[in-house]
Amino acid sequence: MTATGAARVVTTQQRCAFVLLGSVQATLIFTLAAIAVPLPRIGGEFALERVDLILLSAAYGLTFTGLLLFGGRLADRYGGRRALTAGLVLFAAASAAAPLAPGMGTLLAARFAQGAGAALSAPAAMAVLRAVFPSPPAYGRAMATWGGLSILGATAGNLLSGVISTLLSWRWTFAVPLVVALAALALTPRLLPDTTPSRGRTLDLPGALLATAGITLASYGLVVTDTRPWSSVVVLVPLLCGAALLAAFWYAERRVRDPLLPPRFLLDRRRVLALAAIALSACGTAMTFVVLSLHLQQALDWSQLQTSAAFVPFAVALIASGRAAGPLIRRYGARSVTTAGLGTGAAGLALLALTGIDAHISYGYGLLPGLVLLPAGTAASFAGAAVLATEGVPQQQIGLAGGVLNTAMEFGPTVLFAILLTLGSDASSLAATGAALAAVAHLNHRTK
């Protein structure tokens, strides 16, 4: 067997480890979307106002996004498997507390804690993945599949949450993350290799505090624009404070010996475009689910179960494209697949903007084409961009790469989503997101 052929041989241990880590990654994103569909029922049970529902929906993403960079550094500093175990313990405890919540306060605290556990688990899982596949070609092939797991998790969260909350209760949606976390904790010592900590690295606590506070405040300010005007105090104060803290973070990172986010890490044009592709693809997917779910249930009076069923073709196209992405990347390269995926996703969003929210056009003609093109494109762009974003990253920075990649993934459905929804109509927001995807596809095509 040639050296190349030997590098392509995947052992049973590696397959099992990938399934375990991939299940964790998909579940972390599943949990982000799991309460989106049953949110009105939660509001009715706890007598919540719209602003409370928005905060409850955003709580997981706020701590997840805000703590990801620090979580990545902890994974590099103490070892991926140890950080993964700690993150899963916190994630499982919060997932067990959430369904027992007697009111808004307890459920909100549980969602914040879930996000913190996810922020430690996600980059740690990528650090362990690198140890499972130490050779660059094998790791690249693994990342091609890994890239589609997050969008698959988000889709499963939107689909299954509607089914579970209809047949049982919204509280049962937390059974999925709890069971997966407990299973992962039980199997981690047997399936996952230990990873070497980077003992010589410091934690850069000031940078971590600045980044976490800045990202969280800015994200919160953008989230509440759904219920408050941009000129209101509750929007301007967190936005301006968050922007100031992020500026201070960038200034401080250029002057410390071992920064949380080395500025040079984001100077690679291909990596920046890959992160933009991930953020925009995640934004387009989240926006489609939110806009169309509201349209189907409010304008067309569909049930939660009917709404979930409407997205089944979306899930089928997503899985099919995700399975094809790996072989396509090996044949045509990650950059070409990312560009093609972004273009296809842009076409899907354009179709949805033109016909998807017209109450007088049938589902088969108005929604279905866009619900097939969009996931086919985003799954391919996620897969290719994940390879580009982690290409050439040294072992001691793989936790950092995981934190940055997942930050981009959460930046799309929170920050970009909030900004684009302020453009006016739902059709305008969908069209603008599609235009942004097309622009990044063009830039990516021109980058060598």
Side-chain angles (χ1 to χ4, degrees), residues 265-291:
F265 191 81
L266 294 179
L267 293 181
D268 187 314
R269 180 181 172 89
R270 290 193 304 170
R271 182 172 293 131
V272 170
L273 287 174
L275 295 174
I278 289 171
L280 285 167
S281 296
C283 174
T285 301
M287 183 177 294
T288 299
F289 271 108
V290 171
V291 168

Side-chain angles (χ1 to χ4, degrees), residues 323-422:
R323 289 183 63 87
L328 289 173
I329 289 172
R330 288 195 292 272
R331 182 170 183 178
Y332 298 107
R335 186 171 64 88
S336 297
V337 172
T338 303
T339 301
L342 289 169
T344 305
L349 284 169
L351 283 175
L352 291 173
L354 289 171
T355 61
I357 52 178
D358 190 332
H360 304 290
I361 298 181
S362 68
Y363 170 83
Y365 173 74
L367 277 176
L368 189 58
L371 286 178
V372 172
L373 282 177
L374 176 62
T378 52
S381 64
F382 258 90
V387 175
L388 293 173
T390 55
E391 200 170 49
V393 176
Q395 175 66 48
Q396 64 270 23
Q397 286 190 331
I398 197 62
L400 167 65
V404 172
L405 189 148
N406 280 279
T407 298
M409 204 175 296
E410 299 308 310
F411 182 85
T414 53
V415 177
L416 291 179
F417 179 73
I419 293 173
L420 289 165
L421 275 183
T422 64

Side-chain angles (χ1 to χ4, degrees), residues 89-227:
V89 168
L90 177 58
F91 185 74
S95 298
L100 304 176
M104 164 73 172
T106 307
L107 182 57
L108 184 64
R111 290 290 284 175
F112 277 128
Q114 275 187 316
L120 184 54
S121 301
M126 279 189 59
V128 177
L129 185 69
R130 181 67 172 265
V132 172
F133 298 97
S135 73
Y139 181 69
R141 291 193 296 273
M143 283 306 301
T145 303
W146 187 269
L149 293 175
S150 295
I151 195 170
L152 180 61
T155 302
N158 281 286
L159 290 177
L160 294 181
S161 63
V163 176
I164 293 172
S165 61
T166 298
L167 299 181
L168 298 170
S169 163
W170 64 265
R171 297 177 185 270
W172 280 96
T173 59
F174 292 97
V176 175
L178 177 60
V179 169
V180 172
L182 292 176
L185 284 169
L187 294 173
T188 288
R190 296 171 52 190
L191 295 180
L192 303 183
D194 204 0
T195 50
T196 304
S198 300
R199 295 296 183 187
R201 304 182 71 88
T202 59
L203 284 178
D204 185 22
L205 289 176
L209 290 173
L210 288 171
T212 299
I215 292 172
T216 303
L217 282 172
S219 299
Y220 174 78
L222 288 167
V223 165
V224 295
T225 56
D226 187 78
T227 58

